[in-house]
Amino acid sequence: MSQSKNKEPSSIKGTRDILPPESRKWQKAERFLQRIFESYGYKEIRTPVFESTELFEKGTGETSDVVIKEMYTFADKGGRSLTLRPEYTPSIVRSIIENRLYLKPDLMRFYFIGPMFRYDKPQKGRYRQFHQADIEVFGEKDPEVDAEIVEMAYTLLKKLGVKNIKILINSVGCRKCRPEYHKKLKTEAEKQRARLCEDCRRKIDTNPLRIFDCKKDTCRNAALGFPKITDFLCAECQSHFEKFRSLLDFYGLKYSVDPQLVRGLDYYTKTTFEITSSKLGAQDAVLGGGRYDEMMKDFGGPDICGIGFAMGMERLLSVMPDIDEPEKFLYIVHIGEEAKKVSMKLAQYFRENGVECVLEYKDRKLKKQMSRADKLKAAWSLVVGEEEIEKNKYQLKDMRTGDQKEVTKEEALKRMIG
Ligand code: HAM
């Protein structure tokens, strides 16, 4: 569709541009996360932004709000129903099955950082295109992994300077113990039907666990009196949960058990957790995750368990302190046509040797160029004029200290990269 002639284009509701200098902060956070994830043995998997709609219906779950209300689903020109990924977990499970990654001797620990799409009501901390840093571990059923993942999440938030964080945990049981709980929950929810919103009334019949996802005060208050899943765990889930908790103690991590933390997606079994920051406001979860031991099998793959979490990058960035890293680039000042050419060669030399280098081509006076270097917060400036070209020596100025020295290009390089 063509834009009307005089109307400026604008971004779509719920999406935003990440501009400099904010984009620098993103790069720093992304690099930091990659390093941390890799130090725990994770490798990156990149999958397509869109998948078959069925993948999320089956994976994320047909009773989840994400599938019922929030998916960007469309038919392509071949009539296939496709969906922009609302989360990463089903995509990664699909990829493992399709690429037979479970047959390789490698660790099955994966991470990914990228955009997700959910058609939810935009507000602070909630967007329609947002980014997640996601990690997943497969084939490890012991609670040691659950605890290590929470420890990693907590450590990286601390290292990034995020304050006021809280760990919430729960166990949502398994297919053995949950049916009994469902029955009990359904009976109790039925008694409270009049207090519940229309959505939650529907959930009584489809999946009463999803009532806990409702943010409406009346439903939340009604849910306070509902039975707790932790009172219904089978022996195996109970023991897993106890070990998980004792391992969090072992790591010295403080946490609260929240029996209503069922998380909005249908696939969880046993452990669920979230880390919140009170600095975030209403949307206070920086990250959330849990175990999903049945998804791979439900997709027709091998019986391999999984666990992971995803962190909202926008939320992380909003509670992460600003980085006050000084710029590290050289600004080359040139006077005259010949000097411009020589500067281009010099810039090539410095860049090849790892120095960030900025060259502007407009013909400006020396003073103007020096003030540009200053304004752009260059770390150094290098003056190239007729005299300098003749001598093969240039004025290198440290813009922070004001120290100036006549140097060859090799000496300049040495000074800049130490
Ligand atoms: P989730 O709780 O739906 O879990 O999302 C994880 C995180 O993504 C949230 O805690 C939040 O920080 C961020 N997030 C979610 N929706 C939005 C939004 N509309 N705008 C901004 N940020 C948002 C999952 O997605 C699971 N796949 C996590 C997982 C991985 N479980 C096991 N493995």
Side-chain angles (χ1 to χ4, degrees):
M1 198 76 46
S2 65
Q3 211 100 37
S4 78
K5 240 187 191 162
N6 298 317
K7 199 165 169 260
E8 282 183 15
S10 58
S11 60
I12 305 298
K13 189 176 170 184
T15 70
R16 58 189 286 272
D17 302 316
I18 300 165
L19 309 171
E22 195 199 347
S23 51
R24 262 245 159 132
K25 198 174 164 189
W26 277 73
Q27 289 172 340
K28 187 183 165 181
E30 285 165 1
R31 277 199 291 264
F32 175 85
L33 292 175
Q34 284 170 350
R35 234 182 310 121
I36 291 265
F37 295 157
E38 286 176 10
S39 76
Y40 282 75
Y42 293 83
K43 301 252 169 11
E44 191 183 27
I45 285 195
R46 299 185 190 195
T47 63
V49 165
F50 55 83
E51 301 267 1
S52 76
T53 302
E54 198 193 347
L55 184 84
F56 300 110
E57 286 170 350
K58 240 179 156 175
T60 309
E62 282 183 305
T63 68
S64 67
D65 279 353
V66 171
V67 168
I68 296 173
K69 303 182 201 162
E70 298 171 8
M71 294 210 297
Y72 275 94
T73 296
F74 58 97
D76 73 0
K77 290 194 184 346
R80 302 168 196 89
S81 180
L82 304 177
T83 293
L84 299 183
R85 61 175 175 225
E87 58 147 340
Y88 204 56
T89 314
S91 301
I92 208 160
V93 173
R94 186 232 2 103
S95 174
I96 288 169
I97 298 172
E98 193 171 342
N99 295 293
R100 306 278 185 267
L101 295 186
Y102 51 85
L103 295 179
K104 295 192 173 172
D106 309 351
L107 278 180
M108 285 206 282
R109 293 185 165 212
F110 304 104
Y111 75 87
F112 173 73
I113 304 173
M116 308 289 152
F117 308 85
R118 292 185 193 176
Y119 190 81
D120 201 352
K121 206 166 166 209
Q123 54 172 265
K124 186 172 169 264
R126 196 202 279 152
Y127 305 96
R128 289 184 173 168
Q129 174 173 329
F130 60 100
H131 298 75
Q132 284 186 342
D134 182 286
I135 64 104
E136 312 287 350
V137 178
F138 296 93
E140 298 202 42
K141 63 176 179 13
D142 300 310
E144 278 79 359
V145 179
D146 309 34
E148 188 194 84
I149 283 177
V150 175
E151 184 272 330
M152 174 172 80
Y154 185 82
T155 303
L156 69 84
L157 290 176
K158 276 273 166 209
K159 280 197 177 161
L160 282 169
V162 181
K163 300 242 160 57
N164 301 77
I165 51 183
K166 255 197 198 155
I167 303 173
L168 303 174
I169 62 165
N170 192 23
S171 173
V172 292
C174 65
R175 285 186 182 164
K176 258 190 282 159
C177 50
R178 210 175 310 146
E180 187 54 36
Y181 175 65
H182 259 194
K183 230 193 276 163
K184 185 83 184 146
L185 184 60
K186 201 169 172 170
T187 313
E188 291 306 310
E190 197 60 70
K191 289 185 198 157
Q192 300 291 333
R193 183 176 275 275
R195 288 173 75 190
L196 299 176
C197 70
E198 208 177 303
D199 238 10
C200 287
R201 285 183 198 158
R202 180 180 43 79
K203 289 173 181 175
I204 298 178
D205 303 314
T206 55
N207 184 356
L209 211 61
R210 296 275 70 93
I211 297 173
F212 291 118
D213 300 332
C214 187
K215 299 278 180 272
K216 294 194 182 82
D217 282 344
T218 47
C219 300
R220 289 181 85 116
N221 288 336
L224 285 177
F226 288 173
K228 295 183 174 128
I229 178 115
T230 37
D231 293 334
F232 287 78
L233 300 179
C234 62
E236 190 191 321
C237 290
Q238 184 69 41
S239 144
H240 188 97
F241 194 43
E242 272 164 22
K243 277 195 199 138
F244 171 52
R245 292 177 60 172
S246 72
L247 289 162
L248 293 182
D249 294 334
F250 167 78
Y251 278 123
L253 298 175
K254 290 204 169 61
Y255 59 85
S256 312
V257 177
D258 177 357
Q260 297 198 356
L261 186 76
V262 294
R263 309 225 341 101
L265 314 163
D266 286 351
Y267 47 69
Y268 290 114
T269 51
K270 296 196 172 97
T271 308
T272 53
F273 59 91
E274 277 186 7
I275 300 189
T276 60
S277 165
S278 55
K279 301 226 152 180
L280 278 172
Q283 305 297 318
D284 66 352
V286 191
L287 63 88
R291 192 166 267 289
Y292 50 96
D293 292 346
E294 313 284 349
M295 194 192 294
M296 186 100 65
K297 198 172 52 184
D298 289 347
F299 277 1
D303 186 3
I304 293 177
C305 59
I307 178 167
F309 70 73
M311 175 158 51
M313 291 297 287
E314 283 75 6
R315 294 189 196 175
L316 170 69
L317 271 287
S318 75
V319 288
M320 202 180 115
D322 281 337
I323 329 153
D324 209 7
E325 253 179 23
E327 297 283 356
K328 283 203 204 97
F329 68 89
L330 164 72
Y331 188 96
I332 302 188
V333 174
H334 49 89
I335 307 131
E337 253 336 280
E338 197 195 343
K340 195 189 282 179
K341 285 260 168 63
V342 174
S343 298
M344 287 160 76
K345 274 276 175 211
L346 283 169
Q348 191 180 29
Y349 169 77
F350 290 127
R351 288 170 184 149
E352 268 172 7
N353 286 286
V355 175
E356 237 180 88
C357 190
V358 171
L359 191 58
E360 289 188 296
Y361 298 105
K362 255 187 215 146
D363 291 320
R364 290 184 169 120
K365 298 243 158 58
L366 173 73
K367 219 168 134 201
K368 191 86 202 251
Q369 291 191 55
M370 288 307 288
S371 93
R372 282 285 294 162
D374 206 36
K375 239 190 219 145
L376 295 174
K377 298 197 173 77
W380 301 277
S381 64
L382 188 87
V383 178
V384 184
E386 268 175 38
E387 213 179 292
E388 283 81 6
I389 297 171
E390 222 162 85
K391 282 203 255 173
N392 235 343
K393 284 194 163 181
Y394 315 91
Q395 290 296 331
L396 179 73
K397 182 174 175 185
D398 183 320
M399 299 296 286
R400 273 165 212 127
T401 61
D403 285 349
Q404 202 161 313
K405 198 142 181 106
E406 196 179 63
V407 288
T408 61
K409 66 176 185 188
E410 290 81 8
E411 286 163 347
L413 178 68
K414 225 171 172 185
R415 280 180 167 257
M416 288 186 286
I417 59 175

